[in-house]
Amino acid sequence: MKKISRQILRGIVLIGMILLGFSQPVKASDDSLSRIKEKGVLVMGTSPDYPPYEFLATQNGQEQIVGMDVEIGKKIARDLGVKLKIEKMDFDSLLVGLETGKIDMVISGMNPSPERKKSVDFSNVYYHAVQDIIINKADSKIYHNKEDFKGKTVGAQTGSLQQDLIKAQMTDSSGRYLTKITDLILALKSHKVEGIVVESAVASAYAKNDPAITYIKGGFTGGSDQKGSAIAFPKNSKSLVDAANKSLNEIDKKNLVDDYLSDAGKLMAGNTKNNTMLHYWSYFAKGLGYTLLISAISAVFGVLIGMLLALMRLGRNKVLHDLAVAYIEFIRGSPLMVQIMFVYFGLGLLVNIPALLAGIIAVSLNSAAYVAEIIRAGITSIPVGQTEAARSLGLSQKQTMLSVIMPQALKNIWPSLGNEFISLIKESSIVSIIGVTDLIYELRAVQTATYKGVAPILVAMVLYFVVTFGLSKFLLHFERKMKHDA
């Protein structure tokens, strides 16, 4: 165990050295603007679950991110003479994406709080908003301002200004903080929270499109610099911030924000014209396709790498044995979500890995650790006498493994391997945190577009069940066939 611990510790130290080494600032001068112009693309990060700021809508048969923030991003890119590329990810991952170079700016209804200003630069505030509280319409006679929530639970988006306001100005209330606004709406309707603190434009958008909810004035107090939304840029990007401020000044002078909000309102109304789940079948089909793609590729690489790790662990080479043990224990001892974020953001410091590829790599590496142990257990379950008999008949070690041990071990391995494949399909849903459009991501997109919370979840549950049940029956067929042939 001490050797295993040492190997794991060495791995952690190595990773820490890599991260620390590459997270140090290396730029002596500000080349942020010239770098964007040179590459010809401005990458904007956003979390498209915050209408009317940013949300998904179908335009010309294509699923697109739209809203006021997207129009502002387009305006800045146009003024710089470059193309705009939008990367979608969870709200609390946006600043990580900015710091690791995955994106060039964040436009996602973000407030320039003093804490955030320590790690990123902000543009001028482009939209001033007050904070309101969304409540169930049935409770409209109970709650009139934030003082009425004493002893109650109030929700807000994780890492948002609203979370800070609840902690600072609603000290007699409990806070419940979730990543997605759609999840908070579900929590409100199921009475897990009694109110949700959001910006006024968002509260108005949800109240207009969902007859079960309404909103009240929050009555929060705070510095004027925290009441609006601004664009976040990497630290020491003065030239890029100045260029963005020129575009924002023009937007302010021409009152373009009102036009952007009006256009967003029309798209939101279009989303709810037909909000049946059948109308959004293409969202679910796309999400299911990506889920199956990620699972299939990860299963293949998981088995190949897992087989290699199992043989390394069973082999006589001590170095390879210790490496395999360290890898398996480290991967099994850390959450898949953290591994996905490490591959996407951490390794992203070395090479720019697309979100889909990062998800596949992380899920494959995670699955390999579990597959290795399944294969090792299958091989060691074969009596040693089988190996001794094969070797005494003149078979080489390789021939013994391929012709005697593995055919028998496969019958023991197959049921556990099947369970791993089924788990893989379900666990791959975590890749949605880095913006991969799998089934869970599309489920949230439909929730945002239709303002329906439960129906998209039911559709996703049924699709997952159909896929996993079908795979279970398929694997069972081969399991019975192997038993019959024995």
Side-chain angles (χ1 to χ4, degrees):
M1 283 304 291
K2 287 182 179 177
K3 288 183 179 178
I4 295 172
S5 300
R6 279 202 297 270
Q7 292 289 347
I8 294 173
L9 186 61
R10 283 173 191 166
I12 293 172
V13 170
L14 180 61
I15 291 168
M17 289 173 65
I18 290 172
L19 287 177
L20 286 172
F22 283 92
S23 61
Q24 296 300 315
V26 294
K27 289 182 291 186
S29 59
D30 173 21
D31 63 346
S32 54
L33 180 59
S34 59
R35 188 169 46 80
I36 296 297
K37 288 188 173 180
E38 189 178 333
K39 70 176 182 177
V41 178
L42 179 64
V43 184
M44 163 186 162
T46 193
S47 175
D49 62 340
Y50 207 57
Y53 288 72
E54 51 270 327
F55 56 100
L56 290 169
T58 303
Q59 290 184 308
N60 303 319
Q62 297 289 320
E63 177 187 312
Q64 294 184 4
I65 300 175
V66 296
M68 177 181 73
D69 285 350
V70 175
E71 294 305 316
I72 291 173
K74 286 178 181 175
K75 166 71 176 161
I76 294 171
R78 253 195 325 270
D79 291 347
L80 293 178
V82 298
K83 291 182 180 177
L84 179 70
K85 182 182 176 185
I86 301 176
E87 290 283 348
K88 46 192 182 299
M89 54 186 71
D90 280 356
F91 184 80
D92 51 3
S93 298
L94 287 170
L95 291 185
V96 182
L98 195 64
E99 289 178 312
T100 54
K102 285 287 178 189
I103 51 181
D104 300 315
M105 64 177 182
V106 173
I107 314 184
S108 197
M110 186 170 281
N111 304 107
S113 65
E115 292 75 19
R116 287 175 179 151
K117 284 181 178 175
K118 291 175 184 173
S119 55
V120 298
D121 288 343
F122 276 102
S123 69
N124 296 333
V125 171
Y126 61 84
Y127 184 71
H128 292 274
V130 295
Q131 310 300 325
D132 290 338
I133 304 176
I134 298 177
I135 59 172
N136 285 308
K137 193 168 275 183
D139 296 335
S140 56
K141 291 183 179 176
I142 303 173
Y143 304 111
H144 302 93
N145 55 53
K146 70 178 191 298
E147 306 302 329
D148 295 331
F149 289 88
K150 288 180 181 174
K152 305 293 182 182
T153 304
V154 185
Q157 199 169 20
T158 308
S160 65
L161 169 67
Q162 293 78 20
Q163 178 178 345
D164 295 338
L165 288 174
I166 291 173
K167 288 179 178 176
Q169 300 185 32
M170 299 180 78
T171 51
D172 293 326
S173 304
S174 301
R176 181 73 55 83
Y177 310 112
L178 301 175
T179 305
K180 299 286 184 183
I181 292 293
T182 48
D183 292 339
L184 287 164
I185 295 293
L186 272 179
L188 176 72
K189 290 184 173 180
S190 57
H191 301 285
K192 301 289 189 300
V193 300
E194 307 306 323
I196 307 168
V197 182
V198 292
E199 290 193 358
S200 54
V202 179
S204 173
Y206 273 95
K208 280 180 183 172
N209 290 282
D210 190 333
I213 61 176
T214 185
Y215 67 98
I216 59 174
K217 296 296 178 188
F220 292 96
T221 57
S224 58
D225 60 331
Q226 294 188 42
K227 286 184 176 179
S229 300
I231 306 171
F233 294 92
K235 202 71 179 167
N236 302 319
S237 301
K238 187 175 182 309
S239 58
L240 187 56
V241 173
D242 289 345
N245 281 337
K246 281 184 183 174
S247 299
L248 293 179
N249 289 338
E250 190 179 334
I251 288 172
D252 184 50
K253 197 177 290 182
K254 295 182 178 177
N255 239 350
L256 294 178
V257 164
D258 289 344
D259 295 339
Y260 296 157
L261 283 173
S262 175
D263 292 341
K266 289 173 189 171
L267 290 168
M268 289 164 63
N271 270 352
T272 52
K273 270 185 183 173
N274 184 350
N275 61 358
T276 62
M277 293 302 100
L278 191 59
H279 182 69
Y280 286 88
W281 70 268
S282 60
Y283 284 60
F284 292 108
K286 181 182 176 184
L288 183 61
Y290 274 103
T291 292
L292 293 177
L293 177 70
I294 294 166
S295 303
I297 296 176
S298 299
V300 171
F301 282 102
V303 168
L304 292 176
I305 301 170
M307 174 74 80
L308 179 65
L309 289 168
L311 294 177
M312 285 169 63
R313 186 163 184 179
L314 290 169
R316 295 175 182 173
N317 187 306
K318 208 164 178 49
V319 175
L320 293 179
H321 173 273
D322 287 350
L323 280 174
V325 170
Y327 177 87
I328 292 168
E329 296 299 331
F330 183 73
I331 293 295
R332 293 200 309 172
S334 55
L336 176 57
M337 185 178 75
V338 175
Q339 293 162 15
I340 288 173
M341 293 182 75
F342 175 76
V343 172
Y344 186 56
F345 294 118
L347 297 185
L349 292 167
L350 303 171
V351 58
N352 188 16
I353 305 173
L356 177 61
L357 181 59
I360 291 173
I361 291 172
V363 175
S364 300
L365 294 177
N366 179 274
S367 180
Y370 291 91
V371 170
E373 285 302 272
I374 292 170
I375 293 174
R376 185 182 68 85
I379 292 174
T380 54
S381 69
I382 306 302
V384 180
Q386 297 272 348
T387 304
E388 294 172 348
R391 297 303 300 271
S392 67
L393 290 172
L395 273 67
S396 66
Q397 191 173 1
K398 182 180 176 183
Q399 288 172 324
T400 301
M401 179 60 73
L402 293 177
S403 304
V404 178
I405 304 300
M406 283 308 294
Q408 297 181 76
L410 186 60
K411 292 170 187 170
N412 300 331
I413 292 169
W414 191 256
S416 299
L417 212 51
N419 287 334
E420 172 60 21
F421 292 156
I422 290 170
S423 296
L424 198 62
I425 292 173
K426 293 180 287 186
E427 289 171 3
S428 66
S429 63
I430 201 74
V431 298
S432 62
I433 61 168
I434 55 172
V436 178
T437 51
D438 75 326
L439 190 50
I440 293 297
Y441 183 90
E442 293 296 332
L443 140 72
R444 295 186 187 282
V446 175
Q447 283 180 321
T448 304
T450 63
Y451 301 93
K452 287 186 173 180
V454 179
I457 294 175
L458 284 174
V459 173
M461 282 176 68
V462 170
L463 289 174
Y464 270 116
F465 171 74
V466 169
V467 171
T468 55
F469 185 73
L471 179 61
S472 175
K473 289 295 178 188
F474 178 76
L475 294 169
L476 189 61
H477 167 76
F478 283 98
E479 186 180 336
R480 286 173 177 162
K481 193 172 170 54
M482 280 190 284
K483 282 182 181 174
H484 182 265
D485 294 341

